[in-house]
mmCIF file of all heavy atoms in Angstrom:
data_model
loop_
_atom_site.group_PDB
_atom_site.id
_atom_site.type_symbol
_atom_site.label_atom_id
_atom_site.label_comp_id
_atom_site.label_asym_id
_atom_site.label_seq_id
_atom_site.Cartn_x
_atom_site.Cartn_y
_atom_site.Cartn_z
ATOM 1 N N ASN B 248 29.276 7.215 25.144
ATOM 2 C CA ASN B 248 29.228 5.855 25.756
ATOM 3 C C ASN B 248 30.127 4.875 25.042
ATOM 4 O O ASN B 248 29.709 3.717 24.696
ATOM 5 C CB ASN B 248 27.769 5.324 25.705
ATOM 6 C CG ASN B 248 26.811 6.144 26.529
ATOM 7 O OD1 ASN B 248 25.971 6.862 25.995
ATOM 8 N ND2 ASN B 248 26.904 6.096 27.849
ATOM 9 N N GLY B 249 31.358 5.389 24.875
ATOM 10 C CA GLY B 249 32.316 4.489 24.161
ATOM 11 C C GLY B 249 31.801 3.880 22.941
ATOM 12 O O GLY B 249 32.150 2.752 22.612
ATOM 13 N N TRP B 250 31.062 4.701 22.086
ATOM 14 C CA TRP B 250 30.481 4.300 20.843
ATOM 15 C C TRP B 250 29.673 2.965 20.983
ATOM 16 O O TRP B 250 29.693 2.127 20.072
ATOM 17 C CB TRP B 250 31.588 4.152 19.792
ATOM 18 C CG TRP B 250 32.362 5.406 19.554
ATOM 19 C CD1 TRP B 250 32.132 6.674 20.002
ATOM 20 C CD2 TRP B 250 33.517 5.510 18.771
ATOM 21 N NE1 TRP B 250 33.080 7.574 19.532
ATOM 22 C CE2 TRP B 250 33.969 6.839 18.741
ATOM 23 C CE3 TRP B 250 34.318 4.538 17.994
ATOM 24 C CZ2 TRP B 250 35.075 7.376 18.059
ATOM 25 C CZ3 TRP B 250 35.447 5.039 17.266
ATOM 26 C CH2 TRP B 250 35.802 6.389 17.331
ATOM 27 N N CYS B 251 29.038 2.823 22.091
ATOM 28 C CA CYS B 251 28.185 1.564 22.404
ATOM 29 C C CYS B 251 28.943 0.349 22.700
ATOM 30 O O CYS B 251 28.498 -0.690 22.956
ATOM 31 C CB CYS B 251 27.218 1.371 21.257
ATOM 32 S SG CYS B 251 25.931 2.608 21.170
ATOM 33 N N TYR B 252 30.341 0.405 22.619
ATOM 34 C CA TYR B 252 31.096 -0.820 22.775
ATOM 35 C C TYR B 252 31.043 -1.509 24.171
ATOM 36 O O TYR B 252 31.178 -2.716 24.392
ATOM 37 C CB TYR B 252 32.521 -0.615 22.279
ATOM 38 C CG TYR B 252 32.545 -0.617 20.776
ATOM 39 C CD1 TYR B 252 32.820 0.517 20.073
ATOM 40 C CD2 TYR B 252 32.327 -1.795 20.071
ATOM 41 C CE1 TYR B 252 32.809 0.538 18.686
ATOM 42 C CE2 TYR B 252 32.299 -1.849 18.644
ATOM 43 C CZ TYR B 252 32.510 -0.649 17.999
ATOM 44 O OH TYR B 252 32.450 -0.655 16.586
ATOM 45 N N PRO B 253 30.716 -0.724 25.298
ATOM 46 C CA PRO B 253 30.550 -1.439 26.534
ATOM 47 C C PRO B 253 29.375 -2.490 26.343
ATOM 48 O O PRO B 253 29.583 -3.617 26.845
ATOM 49 C CB PRO B 253 30.133 -0.259 27.535
ATOM 50 C CG PRO B 253 30.681 0.870 26.980
ATOM 51 C CD PRO B 253 30.637 0.763 25.481
ATOM 52 N N TRP B 254 28.391 -2.124 25.714
ATOM 53 C CA TRP B 254 27.232 -3.056 25.567
ATOM 54 C C TRP B 254 27.617 -4.145 24.523
ATOM 55 O O TRP B 254 27.338 -5.303 24.698
ATOM 56 C CB TRP B 254 26.026 -2.249 25.063
ATOM 57 C CG TRP B 254 25.537 -1.279 26.148
ATOM 58 C CD1 TRP B 254 25.408 -1.494 27.432
ATOM 59 C CD2 TRP B 254 25.260 0.155 25.879
ATOM 60 N NE1 TRP B 254 25.070 -0.306 28.065
ATOM 61 C CE2 TRP B 254 24.930 0.696 27.164
ATOM 62 C CE3 TRP B 254 25.293 0.980 24.777
ATOM 63 C CZ2 TRP B 254 24.575 2.011 27.285
ATOM 64 C CZ3 TRP B 254 24.939 2.332 24.931
ATOM 65 C CH2 TRP B 254 24.582 2.861 26.229
ATOM 66 N N THR B 255 28.321 -3.759 23.435
ATOM 67 C CA THR B 255 28.741 -4.720 22.425
ATOM 68 C C THR B 255 29.588 -5.855 23.091
ATOM 69 O O THR B 255 29.360 -7.016 22.800
ATOM 70 C CB THR B 255 29.615 -4.084 21.281
ATOM 71 O OG1 THR B 255 28.820 -3.007 20.802
ATOM 72 C CG2 THR B 255 30.011 -5.078 20.252
ATOM 73 N N LEU B 256 30.492 -5.471 23.925
ATOM 74 C CA LEU B 256 31.362 -6.463 24.487
ATOM 75 C C LEU B 256 30.649 -7.450 25.352
ATOM 76 O O LEU B 256 31.023 -8.693 25.392
ATOM 77 C CB LEU B 256 32.486 -5.715 25.305
ATOM 78 C CG LEU B 256 33.779 -5.500 24.555
ATOM 79 C CD1 LEU B 256 34.584 -6.797 24.361
ATOM 80 C CD2 LEU B 256 33.600 -4.820 23.292
ATOM 81 N N ALA B 257 29.600 -7.031 26.008
ATOM 82 C CA ALA B 257 28.763 -7.994 26.740
ATOM 83 C C ALA B 257 28.024 -8.926 25.798
ATOM 84 O O ALA B 257 27.934 -10.130 26.024
ATOM 85 C CB ALA B 257 27.737 -7.289 27.632
ATOM 86 N N ALA B 258 27.460 -8.398 24.645
ATOM 87 C CA ALA B 258 26.839 -9.199 23.686
ATOM 88 C C ALA B 258 27.700 -10.248 23.124
ATOM 89 O O ALA B 258 27.262 -11.409 22.839
ATOM 90 C CB ALA B 258 26.244 -8.358 22.525
ATOM 91 N N LEU B 259 28.974 -9.991 22.970
ATOM 92 C CA LEU B 259 29.991 -10.845 22.394
ATOM 93 C C LEU B 259 30.713 -11.668 23.429
ATOM 94 O O LEU B 259 31.575 -12.521 23.128
ATOM 95 C CB LEU B 259 31.064 -10.061 21.599
ATOM 96 C CG LEU B 259 30.502 -9.259 20.374
ATOM 97 C CD1 LEU B 259 31.627 -8.498 19.737
ATOM 98 C CD2 LEU B 259 29.809 -10.135 19.335
ATOM 99 N N CYS B 260 30.373 -11.436 24.738
ATOM 100 C CA CYS B 260 31.062 -12.158 25.818
ATOM 101 C C CYS B 260 32.549 -12.001 25.567
ATOM 102 O O CYS B 260 33.376 -12.946 25.822
ATOM 103 C CB CYS B 260 30.655 -13.626 25.838
ATOM 104 S SG CYS B 260 28.871 -13.902 25.796
ATOM 105 N N GLY B 261 32.988 -10.834 25.229
ATOM 106 C CA GLY B 261 34.371 -10.577 24.949
ATOM 107 C C GLY B 261 35.154 -10.143 26.254
ATOM 108 O O GLY B 261 34.605 -10.308 27.279
ATOM 109 N N THR B 262 36.331 -9.581 26.005
ATOM 110 C CA THR B 262 37.158 -9.099 27.248
ATOM 111 C C THR B 262 37.490 -7.662 27.023
ATOM 112 O O THR B 262 37.931 -7.248 25.963
ATOM 113 C CB THR B 262 38.348 -9.954 27.302
ATOM 114 O OG1 THR B 262 37.969 -11.305 27.525
ATOM 115 C CG2 THR B 262 39.233 -9.479 28.527
ATOM 116 N N ASN B 263 37.252 -6.843 28.133
ATOM 117 C CA ASN B 263 37.574 -5.429 28.086
ATOM 118 C C ASN B 263 38.902 -5.259 28.778
ATOM 119 O O ASN B 263 39.085 -5.592 29.975
ATOM 120 C CB ASN B 263 36.489 -4.670 28.961
ATOM 121 C CG ASN B 263 35.094 -4.692 28.404
ATOM 122 O OD1 ASN B 263 34.851 -3.865 27.470
ATOM 123 N ND2 ASN B 263 34.285 -5.571 28.836
ATOM 124 N N ILE B 264 39.799 -4.569 27.997
ATOM 125 C CA ILE B 264 41.157 -4.208 28.635
ATOM 126 C C ILE B 264 41.062 -2.691 28.976
ATOM 127 O O ILE B 264 40.967 -1.904 28.067
ATOM 128 C CB ILE B 264 42.309 -4.509 27.702
ATOM 129 C CG1 ILE B 264 42.229 -5.921 27.090
ATOM 130 C CG2 ILE B 264 43.591 -4.263 28.415
ATOM 131 C CD1 ILE B 264 42.275 -7.070 28.047
ATOM 132 N N CYS B 265 41.132 -2.430 30.239
ATOM 133 C CA CYS B 265 40.901 -1.035 30.761
ATOM 134 C C CYS B 265 42.314 -0.320 30.767
ATOM 135 O O CYS B 265 43.338 -1.032 30.830
ATOM 136 C CB CYS B 265 40.291 -0.959 32.081
ATOM 137 S SG CYS B 265 38.490 -1.321 32.003
ATOM 138 N N MET B 266 42.286 0.952 30.656
ATOM 139 C CA MET B 266 43.539 1.661 30.971
ATOM 140 C C MET B 266 43.344 3.134 31.301
ATOM 141 O O MET B 266 42.358 3.676 30.762
ATOM 142 C CB MET B 266 44.632 1.495 29.910
ATOM 143 C CG MET B 266 44.342 1.801 28.489
ATOM 144 S SD MET B 266 45.751 1.412 27.425
ATOM 145 C CE MET B 266 45.538 2.601 26.065
ATOM 146 N N ARG B 267 44.206 3.663 32.116
ATOM 147 C CA ARG B 267 44.008 5.030 32.566
ATOM 148 C C ARG B 267 44.743 6.028 31.589
ATOM 149 O O ARG B 267 44.770 7.189 31.830
ATOM 150 C CB ARG B 267 44.649 5.249 33.923
ATOM 151 C CG ARG B 267 43.783 4.703 35.093
ATOM 152 C CD ARG B 267 44.299 5.145 36.387
ATOM 153 N NE ARG B 267 43.941 6.417 36.768
ATOM 154 C CZ ARG B 267 42.854 6.727 37.554
ATOM 155 N NH1 ARG B 267 42.002 5.759 37.915
ATOM 156 N NH2 ARG B 267 42.532 7.933 37.797
#
Side-chain angles (χ1 to χ4, degrees):
Chain B
N248 298 104
W250 301 352
C251 293
Y252 286 107
W254 299 312
T255 303
L256 267 287
L259 298 177
C260 310
T262 301
N263 293 278
I264 311 298
C265 287
M266 54 184 210
R267 285 186 82 90

